[in-house]
Amino acid sequence: MAEATESPGDQETASPRPLFAGLSDISISQDIPIEGEITIPMKSRIRERDSSTLNESVQNTIMRDLKAVGKKFMHVLYPRKSNTLLRDWDLWGPLILCVTLALMLQRSSLDGEEDGGPQFAEVFVIVWFGAVIITLNSKLLGGNISFFQSLCVLGYCILPLTVAMVICRLVLLTEPGPVNFMIRLFVVTLMFAWSVVASTAFLADSQPPNRKALAVYPVFLFYFVISWMILTFIP
């Protein structure tokens, strides 16, 4: 029984079959309904409603922000390695501390010609300008921290020095003398060390291992200048 074979000439003359020839036979039945609904899961809706602040009252917003600032103050008073100040950064706490410190450091003039404004501006500029310089230094050294995160940490860590200023103002109400100065020196030194330790606890891990000393040294000078202003203050 002979097998039918095709010659190469027959294969070349055969017309090629279209590529999408079979698709014309496919049809979609009109009886099949196409239904569907794009919905957001209920958990996502609840999470979005809870995170939205557009519907909450002004009082709730203020109380929420004050609680957040208070938690950051507690992290500074009890310094430990934490990402709270870096993750949930804000500038409300640093602004409150800077204004409070500047108000307590300003001097009143006896002759009434000056109102103490330059002293307030001096403290305000030193604090913010110094924090900006330290932040730029940290970025130039290769730190993996954002600009406002560094400002937040440096500003919140002024809290111990603000407490030192309050104590020094109370001590200055007593009789001036060597004992008075020694008490203020001890308080300012202790709070200066507290501020440096608290700031480095948050910022040290954001710097390269071989450049941590270069990043900590400006922080030391920053808080030293503020401490010197507090120690030498005489109302």
Side-chain angles (χ1 to χ4, degrees):
M1 188 173 182
E3 295 182 357
T5 59
E6 295 181 0
S7 63
D10 296 338
Q11 293 179 357
E12 292 178 358
T13 57
S15 60
R17 186 179 182 183
L19 183 61
F20 301 100
L23 295 179
S24 59
D25 300 333
I26 300 176
S27 61
I28 300 176
S29 176
Q30 300 294 331
D31 299 333
I32 301 176
I34 301 177
E35 297 179 355
E37 182 181 359
I38 301 177
T39 60
I40 302 176
M42 185 61 64
K43 292 184 179 179
S44 300
R45 290 181 178 179
I46 297 175
R47 192 182 304 111
E48 182 179 356
R49 190 182 303 115
D50 293 339
S51 61
S52 177
T53 59
L54 297 177
N55 298 326
E56 67 178 2
S57 62
V58 177
Q59 181 181 1
N60 293 337
T61 302
I62 295 176
M63 293 303 299
R64 176 173 53 81
D65 293 340
L66 289 178
K67 289 180 180 179
V69 171
K71 290 180 180 180
K72 294 181 178 66
F73 282 160
M74 294 304 299
H75 280 82
V76 174
L77 293 177
Y78 181 63
R80 59 187 182 276
K81 290 186 177 182
S82 175
N83 294 327
T84 302
L85 290 182
L86 301 179
R87 183 180 65 252
D88 304 326
W89 63 268
D90 67 80
L91 299 179
W92 287 112
L95 179 61
I96 294 173
L97 294 175
C98 182
V99 172
T100 303
L101 189 61
L103 288 175
M104 288 190 295
L105 281 174
Q106 74 172 2
R107 298 189 180 102
S108 59
S109 179
L110 296 177
D111 54 8
E113 295 180 359
E114 298 180 359
D115 57 355
Q119 285 79 16
F120 179 90
E122 180 183 7
V123 176
F124 204 85
V125 169
I126 287 177
V127 170
W128 287 103
F129 184 74
V132 169
I133 293 300
I134 294 175
T135 302
L136 292 177
N137 176 73
S138 174
K139 297 297 291 183
L140 291 176
L141 292 176
N144 56 358
I145 186 173
S146 69
F147 183 82
F148 291 104
Q149 285 176 335
S150 179
L151 287 181
C152 173
V153 172
L154 294 172
Y156 270 101
C157 290
I158 300 177
L159 177 62
L161 293 176
T162 306
V163 175
M165 186 65 211
V166 174
I167 297 175
C168 289
R169 289 297 296 257
L170 296 176
V171 173
L172 287 171
L173 297 177
T174 62
E175 186 71 20
V179 178
N180 189 309
F181 177 77
M182 293 302 296
I183 294 175
R184 291 189 290 121
L185 177 61
F186 173 77
V187 172
V188 172
T189 304
L190 178 63
M191 296 303 176
F192 162 71
W194 201 328
S195 295
V196 173
V197 171
S199 60
T200 53
F202 295 109
L203 298 177
D205 292 339
S206 64
Q207 300 298 325
N210 57 342
R211 296 181 179 179
K212 288 185 178 181
L214 295 176
V216 173
Y217 178 68
V219 176
F220 179 88
L221 291 180
F222 173 67
Y223 292 118
F224 177 79
V225 171
I226 299 177
S227 301
W228 182 258
M229 295 173 61
I230 296 173
L231 183 61
T232 58
F233 171 78
I234 298 177

